[in-house]
Amino acid sequence: MSAFGDPATQMAFAVHENKGVFALLLGSGLSRAAEIPTGWEITTDLVRRIATAQGVEEQDDWGKWYVEAEGKEPNYSEMLAQLAVTPAERRAILHGYIEPDDGDYEEGRKVPTAGHKAIAKLVQDGYIKVIVTTNFDRLMENALREVGVEPTVITSPDVLKGAEPLTHSNCYILKVHGDYKDARILNTDEELDVYPETYNVLLDRIFDEHGLIVCGWSGEWDHALRAAISRAPNRRYPLFWASRGDLRGRGAELCNARQGVPVPMNDADSFFTRLVEQVETLSLSKRQNPVGVDMLVNRAKRYLAKPEHRIQLSDLISEEVTKIIERLDQNDMGTQGKFSAEEFQRRVAVYEGSAEGLAKVCGLVGRWGDDTQVRLVVDTIRAIVDHAEKIRDGMTVFLNMRRYPAVLAFQACALGMMRGENWSQLHAFMGVEIDSGYDGRVRMIDAVSPSLWKGAEQNLWRNLPDYERRRTPLSDHLTDTVFSEWGKTFLSSTVKLSSDVMLLEMLTAFLYMESADIAELRAALDKEENGDRNYIWVPIRRAGWDSDFRQSILPKFENGEFVETLARGRFGRGDSDYIALAVENHNRVAAKMNWNFW
């Protein structure tokens, strides 16, 4: 079968492109890998218990024995009714099949499986919000709580009355047969024939407003649930039905009636694990439409060329900021959950995909814009930082990453200014103060420059593929991957991009130390190297190890005219002597850096 006709791939595309639209219908097959028996396995075991109590010898196949003895298939409801009269008794019987004991925990039985965990990942990332299940166990709830998602769980009509509304819940679980610790579970044919009216209303809404993915449910015994799916009036979103082998019986009839798509699977674990992998792959590969980005850049160029279009330029940038903020607020970019290299890579790709257009426009403004237009970039970075700081609880890594679009906008604008030799504008831009949350008001470089941003930790960025042994992985990534492409829009050529980045890093170090006056700087450099630090610390990146720095950047500072130009641009406190001392200070700090990473 062609990959383009693969129903699993078709399903993954539908889930990815319609975030939060699909509901899951989960049956006992999902929990099979946890060694929680299916309804049929419980049925045949109930046959065994009843028969052995009556003196019947042990059988290899109790289902086959029952058919031969009774002339019909064993019925789960009938077996349970023979052993227990009241719902509480039936609950007690099921408890033994579902509740893990110490041995189960040690052996990894009756605990969330790979399938449960994959579903929890889909919920965490915002792709799934509604789950309907016939299962009595709590494995799904436990898997969700492990990733920081607290679901709204409906186990009875009474619980439904006081529950959080469907639209307000990050994850809504309807356990149509109840919970194994609640005596009001539904088991018998009579109980499964008709649902309470409140359930019918809720199911009608779910099946009308959502697409549906069915897994681990045969459709044979749950009459009321089958009826709810059948009467759903709309077909605006598809139904996908996963099954081992060919879908048969009432399940096949229902799938055909709904024009559903059968999806072959080996088991529920591999089915949901593959779905997560495919959705994540689609997310990683998705970027802004290149045509849309090109149109955005062309509009920005027209607006920059004519000062009277400053309002249009402002609106254009504001639209891009709004898109980025909306992306920041989606569930899959939340600050809770567990860190992994794969999750870090995914977030980097999402941030870069959403910020590409804005960064290119900021680069154009840096290269060609006047002070009024540069203020739009400053306001843009402030807006992204302000929004990033609205959430302050969660994993520190994820919290810091929320500023990454602002880092990209800053770097693009600064590189554009430097390529245009707009030195005074660059100094002012890098030094402008912004509100940085807990840190209060700080300079732009302290908040969002790649040299000083809190999310720039080297070990963090070594999680990128093939960056495990890089000395300066963030600087390398921005230089070799991001701006080697984006920079073509506003740098004319990216042949000397590495040198540009290292010069910008050095100017960042100059600006960082400008809080010290020239007397303080001289005093630090005049100290003897006898254990005391004879320099003022500044951030060092590629300059600490890249031989091109010594060959292409340091010689620039032997040119008196270049140093005077920087001083006129306010670098080194506007003093060429200060710049000379700053270069010496920079070299001393670089010499102290340990780059023996290998």
Side-chain angles (χ1 to χ4, degrees):
M1 177 184 292
S2 165
F4 293 98
D6 176 23
T9 302
Q10 181 185 352
M11 178 180 62
F13 267 95
V15 170
H16 180 265
E17 296 300 322
N18 300 279
K19 206 166 192 178
V21 163
F22 279 85
L24 301 182
L25 173 53
L26 307 175
S28 60
L30 175 66
S31 298
R32 187 66 194 90
E35 297 189 35
I36 290 179
T38 64
W40 173 251
E41 289 167 333
I42 293 176
T43 300
T44 56
D45 192 60
L46 293 175
V47 169
R48 177 191 63 80
R49 293 170 66 178
I50 294 171
T52 53
Q54 296 172 350
V56 178
E57 295 180 358
E58 186 66 31
Q59 302 291 318
D60 292 333
D61 187 337
W62 282 104
K64 180 180 178 182
W65 173 86
Y66 186 89
V67 171
E68 293 173 351
E70 300 294 327
K72 61 179 181 179
E73 291 282 344
N75 184 283
Y76 170 75
S77 301
E78 291 178 4
M79 296 301 103
L80 200 58
Q82 288 186 43
L83 286 174
V85 176
T86 67
E89 290 179 296
R90 293 194 289 272
R91 184 205 64 78
I93 290 173
L94 285 174
H95 191 281
Y97 288 107
I98 296 172
E99 183 75 16
D101 56 26
D102 291 342
D104 291 323
Y105 283 120
E106 291 177 3
E107 298 295 330
R109 295 188 298 266
K110 299 181 181 179
V111 295
T113 68
H116 292 99
K117 293 177 180 179
I119 294 170
K121 175 65 174 170
L122 291 171
V123 172
Q124 182 187 32
D125 292 346
Y127 291 103
I128 299 295
K129 293 179 178 292
V130 179
I131 298 172
V132 179
T133 179
T134 61
N135 295 340
F136 304 125
D137 63 67
R138 296 183 174 181
L139 299 184
M140 193 65 256
E141 297 97 299
N142 293 341
L144 288 164
R145 289 173 181 132
E146 286 179 5
V147 297
V149 176
E150 183 59 40
T152 300
V153 184
I154 308 301
T155 58
S156 71
D158 290 342
V159 174
L160 178 59
K161 289 179 182 177
E164 184 178 33
L166 178 67
T167 55
H168 295 171
S169 176
N170 287 331
C171 181
Y172 196 91
I173 301 180
L174 174 59
K175 303 180 79 166
V176 287
H177 293 179
D179 185 277
Y180 78 98
K181 289 191 174 182
D182 190 327
R184 295 169 292 186
I185 53 179
L186 307 181
N187 287 283
T188 66
D189 278 341
E190 183 179 354
E191 291 170 336
L192 298 176
D193 195 46
V194 179
Y195 285 152
E197 184 58 25
T198 52
Y199 271 20
N200 284 327
V201 171
L202 178 58
L203 287 169
D204 286 349
R205 179 181 176 187
I206 291 172
F207 295 146
D208 177 40
E209 298 177 357
H210 295 77
L212 191 63
I213 298 173
V214 181
C215 183
W217 183 66
S218 69
E220 285 294 325
W221 312 111
D222 306 298
H223 319 301
L225 184 54
R226 199 168 55 244
I229 297 173
S230 297
R231 66 174 176 264
N234 287 313
R235 303 290 189 272
R236 57 172 68 96
Y237 300 111
L239 178 149
F240 296 95
W241 196 313
S243 66
R244 300 176 63 179
D246 293 334
L247 190 60
R248 298 187 298 271
R250 290 171 175 170
E253 293 173 3
L254 181 58
C255 185
N256 291 334
R258 285 295 306 265
Q259 297 180 330
V261 179
V263 184
M265 70 169 185
N266 293 323
D267 53 66
D269 279 359
S270 60
F271 171 75
F272 281 111
T273 298
R274 184 188 180 195
L275 176 58
V276 168
E277 291 172 349
Q278 288 184 304
V279 169
E280 287 185 337
T281 299
L282 289 169
S283 179
L284 283 170
S285 64
K286 186 175 182 179
R287 50 160 285 191
Q288 290 193 47
N289 185 327
V291 175
V293 172
D294 290 344
M295 291 178 63
L296 176 75
V297 167
N298 289 331
R299 288 172 61 198
K301 288 179 178 178
R302 291 199 305 272
Y303 298 156
L304 278 167
K306 297 183 178 180
E308 62 267 26
H309 286 165
R310 63 184 181 279
I311 295 176
Q312 289 91 331
L313 179 63
S314 176
D315 290 343
L316 180 146
I317 292 175
S318 295
E319 289 171 5
E320 289 303 300
V321 173
T322 298
K323 292 176 184 177
I324 291 172
I325 288 176
E326 288 176 349
R327 190 65 185 91
L328 277 173
D329 287 344
Q330 291 184 9
N331 289 341
D332 68 319
M333 304 303 283
T335 58
Q336 306 296 329
K338 296 181 179 180
F339 177 85
S340 67
E342 294 75 17
E343 176 61 13
F344 175 73
Q345 294 165 17
R346 184 190 70 81
R347 290 181 183 238
V348 169
V350 170
Y351 283 129
E352 290 173 358
S354 61
E356 178 183 355
L358 176 66
K360 288 180 175 179
V361 172
C362 290
L364 288 169
V365 172
R367 180 76 184 272
W368 307 109
D370 58 27
D371 289 344
T372 299
Q373 292 161 336
V374 169
R375 279 197 293 272
L376 294 176
V377 175
V378 172
D379 290 342
T380 290
I381 293 173
R382 280 181 173 144
I384 295 172
V385 171
D386 286 347
H387 189 79
E389 290 301 314
K390 287 183 179 179
I391 297 179
R392 296 187 176 182
D393 63 314
M395 288 197 66
T396 302
V397 169
F398 295 158
L399 289 168
N400 290 337
M401 284 295 293
R402 286 171 58 82
R403 290 192 187 186
Y404 188 41
V407 174
L408 295 169
F410 168 87
Q411 188 76 347
C413 191
L415 286 171
M417 289 176 176
M418 203 170 65
R419 183 60 67 90
E421 298 185 355
N422 304 323
W423 304 113
S424 60
Q425 195 179 63
L426 175 61
H427 185 273
F429 173 69
M430 295 168 73
V432 70
E433 288 191 345
I434 64 173
D435 191 337
S436 187
Y438 284 126
D439 296 329
R441 292 188 67 77
V442 299
R443 292 169 302 181
M444 188 81 79
I445 58 167
D446 299 302
V448 293
S449 76
S451 294
L452 292 163
W453 167 49
K454 287 183 177 180
E457 182 186 349
Q458 309 287 31
N459 284 335
L460 176 64
W461 288 87
R462 290 188 181 112
N463 284 292
L464 292 178
D466 301 323
Y467 275 61
E468 298 87 351
R469 310 296 292 178
R470 296 292 187 105
R471 294 179 173 99
T472 49
L474 174 59
S475 181
D476 295 356
H477 175 65
L478 293 179
T479 304
D480 303 336
T481 302
V482 179
F483 287 102
S484 62
E485 289 299 320
W486 295 3
K488 294 173 183 177
T489 300
F490 54 90
L491 298 178
S492 301
S493 169
T494 57
V495 173
K496 297 182 179 180
L497 179 61
S498 177
S499 296
D500 288 343
V501 169
M502 286 190 286
L503 178 57
L504 180 58
E505 289 174 350
M506 191 172 190
L507 295 179
T508 301
F510 286 1
L511 191 64
Y512 178 83
M513 67 180 299
E514 284 179 9
S515 57
D517 61 28
I518 194 168
E520 293 174 280
L521 180 54
R522 279 202 177 100
L525 295 174
D526 286 344
K527 289 180 181 179
E528 293 186 9
E529 190 176 5
N530 57 359
D532 292 334
R533 191 168 72 181
N534 62 343
Y535 56 84
I536 294 175
W537 184 88
V538 293
I540 303 289
R541 293 295 180 260
R542 290 176 71 126
W545 62 267
D546 194 326
S547 60
D548 285 346
F549 176 78
R550 291 182 292 277
Q551 296 172 7
S552 63
I553 303 302
L554 282 181
K556 288 179 179 288
F557 291 91
E558 298 172 1
N559 183 326
E561 184 177 345
F562 177 70
V563 172
E564 284 293 337
T565 299
L566 288 181
R568 287 195 296 272
R570 305 305 301 165
F571 282 98
R573 290 182 158 220
D575 185 341
S576 57
D577 290 339
Y578 189 105
I579 292 176
L581 293 173
V583 171
E584 173 61 23
N585 184 81
H586 188 274
N587 290 340
R588 288 190 186 182
V589 177
K592 294 292 183 180
M593 302 298 290
N594 178 16
W595 295 111
N596 295 320
F597 187 75
W598 290 276

